[in-house]
Amino acid sequence: MNERNGKQKRAIRAQARTGKLSHAWLILGGSPGGREELAGFLAAALLCGGAEPPCGACSHCVKLAKGIHPDLIRVEKLPDRASYVVDQARELARDAYIMPNEAARKVYYIPAADEMNVQAQNAMLKLLEEPPARSVFILAAENAAALLDTVRSRCTELYAEGDEELGDADKYALALFDSFRRGAPADVALAAWQLEKAKLEREELDGVLEALSVLIAQRLREGVAPGEQKRLFAALDETKKQLQRRRSNNTGAGHMAGALAVGLNRLLEQS
Ligand SMILES: [Zn+2]
């Protein structure tokens, strides 16, 4: 099974080990999901308090996985605007000088940096040129041409992978996640049935559950409405419970997929 963004993640880990991670990053290419995943990994490498960042186990990594780390600040467009506006960049600039809450630094993530207008990018540029000591910026963009050269030149660029890079486990996890998110029990059952028929090895089944946890955690990090948040937390618990059960009982595809579909659909009924 290929891990999406595996090469990029190894490069980030290697740099994290030296303790010299860049203060400004630009993630380009791939798909929205690929960029999002890489940004999440990078943020974890920056905020992790463990020996091998991201360790996945320290309090920072756990909070990041749940989408509740106070030092990861996701900056979205205002709901009624077509682009990020200069006031948002100015507010970000003020905030970036305030000390972090829990981690050694704060991470600002701008998922659609190509939707910053020119004034906003210029305000951002000052920050990238003289960054506050404890702040790191992760920009992601679909269209690199919409970014000022001066902004690009200040950032370490990373190229994310797309959905075609997904291994089998990720594909099944994505089908399950999408149907759960849409609140479609019949599609959840169908995705589980296809998983059951796929004759995956047991290790790959664990990979599906792990990938599903990652997708749910990513969605939580995007800042969702309270109702959806509650449902996603429950789905995350359910997925982890199934992973533990599969490992301890060495369950095969049929049992695992069936139990997962029943568990997820119960959550959909409740909400
Ligand atoms: Zn950690």
Side-chain angles (χ1 to χ4, degrees):
M1 183 182 72
N2 291 330
E3 185 193 17
R4 182 157 63 168
N5 293 314
K7 201 173 68 186
Q8 295 84 336
K9 289 176 187 169
R10 284 191 290 280
I12 292 168
R13 273 194 193 283
Q15 224 190 97
R17 245 176 259 135
T18 68
K20 286 184 192 144
L21 283 165
S22 168
H23 71 272
W25 298 82
L26 175 59
I27 300 176
L28 297 169
S31 61
R35 290 192 292 275
E36 186 72 29
E37 197 218 6
L38 193 53
F41 185 88
L42 180 55
L46 287 157
L47 295 173
C48 173
E52 285 277 321
C55 71
C58 72
S59 67
H60 299 293
C61 287
V62 169
K63 282 188 179 178
L64 285 166
K66 289 184 169 174
I68 53 168
H69 200 298
D71 293 315
L72 175 60
I73 300 115
R74 187 184 177 100
V75 187
E76 297 276 5
K77 276 188 302 190
L78 298 172
D80 52 343
R81 296 301 186 113
S83 60
Y84 289 91
V85 292
V86 67
D87 285 347
Q88 283 182 282
R90 288 193 184 126
E91 197 196 319
L92 192 157
R94 275 192 297 276
D95 193 72
Y97 285 91
I98 300 169
M99 294 298 272
N101 292 288
E102 294 177 13
R105 47 174 81 93
K106 291 204 276 193
V107 175
Y108 293 87
Y109 173 43
I110 305 178
D114 46 352
E115 292 177 1
M116 285 195 287
N117 66 27
V118 173
Q119 292 97 313
Q121 287 192 48
N122 274 317
M124 197 66 213
L125 182 60
K126 293 199 187 99
L127 210 49
L128 298 177
E129 280 169 348
E130 291 170 46
R134 301 260 197 148
S135 289
V136 179
F137 306 93
I138 303 175
L139 283 59
E142 179 166 22
N143 174 18
L147 292 167
L148 300 175
D149 285 343
T150 42
V151 167
R152 278 190 75 168
S153 69
R154 295 281 162 186
C155 297
T156 301
E157 292 188 0
L158 281 175
Y159 285 83
E161 290 176 355
D163 298 335
E164 68 281 4
E165 251 67 45
L166 293 179
D168 280 349
D170 290 297
K171 279 183 194 145
Y172 291 110
L174 198 55
L176 282 163
F177 175 70
D178 272 346
S179 43
F180 179 76
R181 243 198 85 195
R182 285 185 284 108
D187 290 352
V188 171
L190 178 66
W193 182 77
Q194 283 167 334
L195 171 62
E196 187 181 332
K197 297 286 156 216
K199 305 223 183 302
L200 297 184
E201 300 290 328
R202 301 205 161 167
E203 253 170 41
E204 292 174 304
L205 291 174
D206 292 356
V208 174
L209 293 168
E210 277 159 6
L212 184 58
S213 306
V214 169
L215 288 167
I216 299 169
Q218 268 174 24
R219 177 65 191 155
L220 280 164
R221 276 201 297 271
E222 289 171 19
V224 295
E228 187 182 354
Q229 193 183 47
K230 198 174 151 215
R231 197 163 67 168
L232 288 170
F233 273 131
L236 197 55
D237 283 344
E238 178 66 31
T239 307
K240 291 194 167 148
K241 195 175 82 188
Q242 294 297 343
L243 183 59
Q244 264 176 2
R245 184 179 295 164
R246 216 217 60 72
R247 281 189 174 139
S248 53
N249 303 347
N250 201 15
T251 325
H255 277 102
M256 187 280 241
L260 183 65
V262 168
L264 291 178
N265 279 341
R266 199 186 50 237
L267 298 177
L268 287 180
E269 272 167 33
Q270 284 165 0
S271 52

